[in-house]
Amino acid sequence: EGRPMAYHHEPARAKLPYPLCALAFYAIYGLGFFILLTLVLNHHPLFPLDTENIHWVRSWLFTTVFDYYGAALCLCGIILSTEGILVGGLWSLGCCLLGTPVCCIYMMYRIHRFRTLKLAAPEEDYERIQ
């Protein structure tokens, strides 16, 4: 209760309603990407670059997109858990549809608002932040 108001936004914070579902989602996505990357590297090695081969280009484009969304969805999980469904959903939509610029703006917002990127600050940090 001694937390500064600017840092304490518990009502907006959403706990994952189904943490096991989220755990399963990230485990399946991570394993799926690992399998995809292994297959692509086996069939179409990254080096030497084979940009004239349409199969190589398609495989690496698909793999890169799958990789980006894996990282973006990890960030979206943190955003949704921190900001709540409505605000977090809007940030997440921006991250997924507009990409890196929105992800960076969210990071800048977190740094500006909380003076840290820590997911959970120790109690002694609350005084320093204020």
Side-chain angles (χ1 to χ4, degrees):
E1 293 298 327
R3 297 178 188 166
M5 291 303 289
Y7 203 96
H8 182 69
H9 66 287
E10 292 295 327
R13 207 175 271 166
K15 291 188 178 184
L16 289 174
Y18 305 107
L20 290 179
C21 291
L23 181 66
F25 170 78
Y26 290 117
I28 291 167
Y29 199 102
L31 180 61
F33 181 74
F34 177 77
I35 291 168
L36 172 66
L37 183 61
T38 301
L39 291 172
V40 169
L41 283 168
N42 190 36
H43 290 93
H44 304 286
L46 185 55
F47 297 106
L49 299 178
D50 193 7
T51 58
E52 300 298 318
N53 180 339
I54 190 68
H55 299 294
W56 184 93
V57 172
R58 280 187 188 162
S59 294
W60 280 106
L61 176 61
F62 180 77
T63 302
T64 301
V65 170
F66 200 113
D67 188 25
Y68 170 77
Y69 280 103
L73 291 172
C74 289
L75 178 59
C76 290
I78 293 168
I79 292 172
L80 284 167
S81 296
T82 304
E83 305 296 335
I85 298 300
L86 181 60
V87 173
L90 292 173
W91 276 113
S92 296
L93 193 61
C95 289
C96 289
L97 296 180
L98 300 174
T100 300
V102 175
C103 295
C104 290
I105 291 169
Y106 179 75
M107 293 286 113
M108 292 165 43
Y109 155 76
R110 292 284 303 170
I111 292 167
H112 175 72
R113 182 160 183 204
F114 301 109
R115 307 284 187 250
T116 185
L117 285 177
K118 291 181 184 179
L119 294 178
E123 288 294 324
E124 61 270 10
D125 283 353
Y126 290 117
E127 289 78 36
R128 182 180 54 79
I129 293 168
Q130 187 62 16

